[in-house]
Amino acid sequence: MSYAIGQLGWSTLINIIGLHQVYFYLPPAPKPGQECFPDLIEKMAFWGLSTIGVVAAIGRLWDAFTDPIIANSSDRFTSRFGRRIPFLFLGGVPAAVFCWLIFVPPHNYISSTNLVWMTGCMLLFYLFLTVYVTPFFALIPELGHTPEERLNLSTYISVTYALGIIVASTEPMIANVLKSTFVFHGDSALQTLVSRQYALGILCTFAALCMYFPVFSIHEKTYCESEASSVPFKEAILLTFKNKNFLYFALSDLCYFLALTILTTGISYYVTVLLELEREFVTQLLTVMLLVSFAFYPAVNWIARRIGKKKTVLGGFYIFLILFLSIYFVGKDSLPLSPYIQGYLIVAIAAVPIAILGILPNAILADIAELDSLKTGSKREGLFYAGRTFMQKLGQTLAVLIFSTVILLGLDRETKKNVSPQVTGIITPSVAEPKSEMKKNPEGETKISMESSICKVEEVEAGGELGVRLTGPLASAFCLLAIFLFGKYKEDETLEEIAKIRGN
């Protein structure tokens, strides 16, 4: 249980980034009468790519270097506390601190300093998150001594990962409570900004506390079947990726997380742009989705034992494929369903593959790692899980880069430029001048005045909605590729060889 609570902590952090970073730095235009949210960075970088997407890509490329290095260091590490727990101790607090600092730039107006700040904090966040997460996952085959134990352990951490999504999604609710209770700033836009920052700080503090449960409760030397690896770093990397089952698994995982991250990053846009509902509805949708998903957990375990983990996972992929395709039609006037029913229907369907793909992949990878260890005599669980987490992060990076660029489709070049200095236009408004005047600092950066910054939207121009709709079919294409790659994993042979070597 303590191990699963650790997952709740880092899941909260990574889902804070997944659910809120793009929306924080690339918010949609307000509806008539709504308050603005201040622009903090330039939105377009180069070649039509969004700035936030490029920054996310840089962060994941950084992971390309840190993941295998930390994994191999953990595999080779020895101490009286074990191989993994010291890394968890080192990574927890810094990961939470830098996660929060990503959302606390130095200036409350468009500034290159904000971009540098966000990039630096994100690199440090991913570094310390990797220090925690990679050894954390390597504990699964060491704590779970049989395929059944590993499946159960994967189920527990899947539950807490899902709870982390719910916790991270409460940011709008907490921010609204803080905004209505305290006065942080006289300007309404900055009052919203600071309220969101405090809300994210509360969530990051909660996450940090959870991450230290396994550190202080798991005695690695007692509970884990662990032996330090003596294989040199380069040789260990080559041995890991020569494993064909692992290679197909990791590549399919990349495609799956690319598709899934498009969905999780886009859910705020689907609610506010396509369904035209308030952003707080996102929390309700995610809570319903994950509660329904929990209800399917026993069925997933039962089905996986009856027909195998591979067939069950493929079934989940096919459901996601259909769901992603349906995103294109969400919110269209031709649909006879209300926006609320459409939202609940989508998350109810998504709950089934979320349950399947939340539980089984970790158990499958544990089987792959165990067979490799039995055949080679080298325990490299850390590198196997580092390979998977790197592929996940790479998929998430590509998803953010693709999503944040695709949602700008439908806006011509002049429309993209014609955005209020205070507002980012996904659907660009024509904004009347507010009472306050815009000031220029010596560096030529646009600064929000201290007075009211409520947007008076006179006309909403068409555009942007097309890009949001296209993200669904795009995700389905990657889901289809994941099906093809994962189909090449040989589950029956893997389990038979494990049983034969162990003499069962």
Side-chain angles (χ1 to χ4, degrees), residues 326-367:
S326 70
I327 294 296
Y328 183 84
F329 303 98
V330 167
K332 285 185 174 290
D333 294 336
S334 57
L335 291 179
L337 303 175
S338 74
Y340 289 99
I341 293 177
Q342 290 180 51
Y344 285 125
L345 186 61
I346 288 172
V347 297
I349 295 172
V352 178
I354 288 289
I356 294 170
L357 296 162
I359 297 173
L360 300 183
N362 279 323
I364 291 170
L365 184 54
D367 293 338

Side-chain angles (χ1 to χ4, degrees), residues 219-497:
H219 302 283
E220 188 178 341
K221 289 284 189 178
T222 302
Y223 297 117
C224 297
E225 292 183 353
S226 177
E227 179 183 342
S229 172
S230 59
V231 179
F233 177 63
K234 290 184 179 180
E235 184 180 345
I237 289 285
L238 291 174
L239 283 173
T240 301
F241 281 91
K242 278 184 177 179
N243 187 312
K244 289 186 178 181
N245 275 331
F246 171 71
L247 187 60
Y248 288 130
F249 173 88
L251 290 173
S252 69
D253 222 32
L254 183 153
C255 296
Y256 162 62
F257 270 88
L258 199 160
L260 182 64
T261 304
I262 288 176
L263 177 66
T264 56
T265 304
I267 191 166
S268 292
Y269 294 90
Y270 301 150
V271 168
T272 58
V273 177
L274 301 185
L275 296 177
E276 299 183 356
L277 300 173
E278 295 299 321
R279 184 167 169 255
E280 287 75 12
F281 188 53
V282 172
T283 303
Q284 297 180 39
L285 289 179
L286 290 175
T287 302
V288 169
M289 180 180 73
L290 297 172
L291 289 176
V292 175
S293 179
F294 293 160
F296 278 99
Y297 276 22
V300 170
N301 273 275
W302 182 81
I303 293 170
R305 289 187 172 93
R306 289 290 300 270
I307 68 173
K309 295 187 282 286
K310 178 181 176 179
K311 291 180 180 179
T312 309
V313 167
L314 288 173
F317 280 149
Y318 279 112
I319 296 173
F320 256 145
L321 175 64
I322 297 170
L323 182 68
F324 288 140
L325 287 172
S326 70
I327 294 296
Y328 183 84
F329 303 98
V330 167
K332 285 185 174 290
D333 294 336
S334 57
L335 291 179
L337 303 175
S338 74
Y340 289 99
I341 293 177
Q342 290 180 51
Y344 285 125
L345 186 61
I346 288 172
V347 297
I349 295 172
V352 178
I354 288 289
I356 294 170
L357 296 162
I359 297 173
L360 300 183
N362 279 323
I364 291 170
L365 184 54
D367 293 338
I368 294 172
E370 183 187 13
L371 178 59
D372 185 89
S373 173
L374 292 172
K375 293 174 70 173
T376 65
S378 172
K379 286 185 170 291
R380 290 173 285 105
E381 297 90 347
L383 274 177
F384 278 105
Y385 281 93
R388 188 197 181 201
T389 54
F390 170 65
M391 289 298 188
Q392 290 175 351
K393 293 172 184 178
L394 181 59
Q396 291 163 347
T397 297
L398 294 173
V400 172
L401 182 62
I402 293 169
F403 180 89
S404 58
T405 301
V406 169
I407 60 173
L408 297 178
L409 292 176
L411 300 177
D412 58 37
R413 183 175 299 178
E414 292 304 314
T415 304
K416 290 176 184 176
K417 291 180 180 178
N418 187 28
V419 179
S420 163
Q422 298 155 279
V423 187
T424 298
I426 299 302
I427 301 177
T428 309
S430 301
V431 184
E433 287 295 326
K435 296 178 182 178
S436 59
E437 296 180 356
M438 304 308 297
K439 300 178 181 179
K440 294 279 186 175
N441 69 4
E443 299 177 0
E445 295 170 328
T446 305
K447 185 173 182 179
I448 297 177
S449 71
M450 302 296 290
E451 298 181 27
S452 175
S453 60
I454 297 179
C455 290
K456 299 177 181 178
V457 182
E458 297 176 341
E459 178 185 359
V460 178
E461 301 173 8
E465 181 180 318
L466 172 63
V468 176
R469 291 192 182 282
L470 288 176
T471 59
L474 186 62
S476 69
F478 290 107
C479 195
L480 191 62
L481 185 56
I483 292 170
F484 170 76
L485 291 167
F486 187 72
K488 293 183 175 294
Y489 164 58
K490 299 178 180 179
E491 181 183 46
D492 292 339
E493 292 182 13
T494 298
L495 297 178
E496 287 173 5
E497 284 193 67

Side-chain angles (χ1 to χ4, degrees), residues 97-111:
V97 169
F98 286 112
C99 180
W100 179 62
L101 289 178
I102 289 172
F103 299 92
V104 191
H107 304 300
N108 53 28
Y109 49 86
I110 295 176
S111 168

